[in-house]
Amino acid sequence: MINSGSSSVKYQLIDLDGPVRLKAGKIERIGEPESGVHDHEAALKRVAEEVSRVPGEMRAVGHRVVHGGPSYTEPALIDDDVVKQIEAAVPLAPLHNPANLAGIEVTRRLWPEVPQVAVFDTAFHSTIPPAAHTYAIDDEVARRFGVRRYGFHGTSTAYVSRLAAEMVGKPATANVIVLHLGNGASASAISAGRCVDTSMGMTPLEGLVMGTRSGDIDPAVVFQLIRGGMSPEDVEEMLVHRSGLLGLCGDNDMRTVMERRASGDERATLAYDVYCHRLKKYIGAYCAVLGTVDVIAFTGGVGENSAQVRRRVLTGLEPMGVRLDPFRNVSCTGTRLVSTDESRVAVAVVATDEELEIARETFTVISRTNPE
Ligand code: ADP
């Protein structure tokens, strides 16, 4: 599976029979003169070299694609038409789709015989009903520009919600809230395996406070800044790359923010408070959307590793049936339940595995199109 970003290419070679990871790596700093990797072509040639050393036949390549636009509700076997659709979604994901496309284009040339599958971050959210994915703006304008909520982190959210539902013994019916808290962060509400709401929107900028992204703000802030003399590009750059935890306190790494907070740093304390407040607000909102919640699942670097963030955002939710077990929360690592046995709403920590999910989705598509 290949995750081709703007400055890096991550790859994993997975044998699904195990599943076993046969090879994994990351080529970084693409385009920087001193890295020696001039472009995506050079990066993927390195990947091809690495992969060719592993014995056995490569059956398929799965590509992570951030934005599938309105067309894709599931992964797609890549052909020229699929490439065109991913190109059509570039205006919706100008930072991500071009890099994903570069990866696809080079990989198709390097391995012309191997089927390639696009796995979209947006696909899992295609079940979100119109009431939740429609922005209340002029509907003609919305249609013309493709403005609606699409949602992202779909691959991780699908994987984690399925596992969490199994962990509470309700694989087919559970109502689940997934909190994917990495550098990017999103919350999603899933009912019986189908996503019904999510915090990221037309782009990954909406919703929770993230490492460098603002999440929700009043859209009038943007006009205010533009009228004040900032260019639209500067405002976008600020909201995407210099906001969130980084904007609030100068650090986007949650571990550093927490260390600074522990030593009494005021900016880091405020950044942490804003982050946790927003997260708690979304948990409450999705409890209301779902009616009953079987399990709240934490994943991503912060969600999996920070017992403190989990405790902070769940404290006060006891009347809603959430009882965190303080011992389980801090004592173990990895995928597990961290609520008490009596808790009406279970709390799970789930180690996400987007790569494995992409490999599985890819295999499903090629088995369907090419049954043996
Ligand atoms: P990405 O979204 O790039 O895949 P990750 O899911 O790895 O990122 O999450 C990165 C975030 O997880 C960083 O903010 C990092 O500080 C945070 N993180 C990792 N370990 C811990 C920890 N023990 N406590 C708090 N935050 C952590």
Side-chain angles (χ1 to χ4, degrees):
M1 89 92 213
I2 286 174
N3 184 350
S4 171
S6 55
S7 65
S8 72
V9 170
K10 289 187 240 172
Y11 68 95
Q12 286 195 6
L13 186 64
I14 298 173
D15 177 356
L16 282 174
D17 282 343
V20 188
R21 239 165 281 267
L22 301 171
K23 192 103 200 161
K26 186 176 183 184
I27 316 283
E28 288 178 287
R29 304 197 298 150
I30 297 174
E32 288 179 28
E34 61 277 18
S35 72
V37 188
H38 298 300
D39 52 17
H40 284 83
E41 171 120 22
L44 283 153
K45 278 190 174 149
R46 279 202 196 175
V47 173
E49 252 168 57
E50 291 293 323
V51 168
S52 68
R53 296 208 190 106
V54 180
E57 180 206 4
M58 190 167 66
R59 295 277 306 278
V61 180
H63 292 271
R64 176 183 184 221
V65 178
V66 168
H67 216 306
S71 323
Y72 291 107
T73 56
E74 50 181 50
L77 187 69
I78 295 175
D79 57 17
D80 293 343
D81 192 47
V82 171
V83 168
K84 278 202 196 99
Q85 298 284 348
I86 300 171
E87 272 166 7
V90 164
L92 296 167
L95 305 170
H96 297 103
N97 273 29
N100 301 155
L101 274 167
I104 290 171
E105 194 241 325
V106 176
T107 313
R108 285 179 89 196
R109 266 192 282 122
L110 288 177
W111 289 291
E113 308 302 326
V114 179
Q116 319 241 346
V117 173
V119 180
F120 302 100
D121 266 16
T122 48
F124 182 63
H125 301 298
S126 64
T127 51
I128 295 176
H133 76 57
T134 307
Y135 292 115
I137 64 168
D138 182 322
D139 65 341
E140 197 272 321
V141 172
R143 262 199 302 277
R144 184 146 43 101
F145 291 92
V147 173
R148 51 160 283 186
R149 176 174 286 112
Y150 291 99
F152 299 87
H153 283 158
T155 310
S156 164
T157 301
Y159 177 85
V160 170
S161 64
R162 203 170 57 231
L163 229 71
E166 282 166 12
M167 285 161 81
V168 295
K170 294 185 174 179
T173 58
N175 283 347
V176 186
I177 296 175
V178 173
L179 306 169
H180 180 118
L181 311 174
N183 278 312
S186 68
S188 300
I190 295 97
S191 181
R194 293 166 70 84
C195 190
V196 295
D197 207 349
T198 196
S199 61
M200 282 179 168
M202 183 183 82
T203 75
L205 186 52
E206 193 180 350
L208 301 176
V209 177
M210 314 185 203
T212 66
R213 291 180 217 141
S214 62
D216 296 336
I217 57 163
D218 181 344
V221 170
V222 176
F223 322 138
Q224 178 89 351
L225 300 180
I226 290 173
R227 284 196 205 102
M230 280 177 81
S231 70
E233 291 72 26
D234 285 348
V235 176
E236 182 175 33
E237 197 274 330
M238 189 271 291
L239 292 175
V240 174
H241 297 297
R242 286 186 289 124
S243 295
L245 294 173
L246 180 71
L248 287 169
C249 74
D251 269 308
N252 66 320
D253 189 304
M254 184 53 107
R255 278 167 296 202
T256 317
V257 174
M258 288 168 66
E259 280 161 21
R260 284 175 52 191
R261 172 177 177 265
S263 59
D265 184 301
E266 278 180 28
R267 286 175 75 211
T269 302
L270 179 63
Y272 183 77
D273 289 349
V274 175
Y275 181 99
C276 291
H277 177 77
R278 181 86 49 85
L279 186 53
K280 189 171 193 170
K281 208 157 88 168
Y282 268 94
I283 296 172
Y286 289 165
C287 284
V289 166
L290 290 168
T292 55
V293 177
D294 295 295
V295 50
I296 299 174
F298 286 82
T299 193
V302 177
E304 289 168 38
N305 298 305
S306 180
Q308 213 174 317
V309 168
R310 292 193 295 266
R311 191 187 62 215
R312 168 72 177 264
V313 300
L314 297 179
T315 298
L317 303 190
E318 294 79 7
M320 293 158 77
V322 184
R323 294 242 184 278
L324 193 66
D325 183 311
F327 182 71
R328 289 176 186 166
N329 189 37
V330 299
S331 61
C332 325
T333 56
T335 297
R336 66 201 189 275
L337 289 177
V338 293
S339 43
T340 65
D341 293 341
E342 294 74 38
S343 187
R344 189 152 46 75
V345 179
V347 180
V349 173
V350 179
T352 193
D353 195 338
E354 284 179 283
E355 294 77 17
L356 180 60
E357 184 74 3
I358 289 174
R360 283 184 179 150
E361 297 259 32
T362 300
F363 183 71
T364 307
V365 172
I366 64 157
S367 322
R368 202 164 46 211
T369 48
N370 192 11
E372 282 168 33

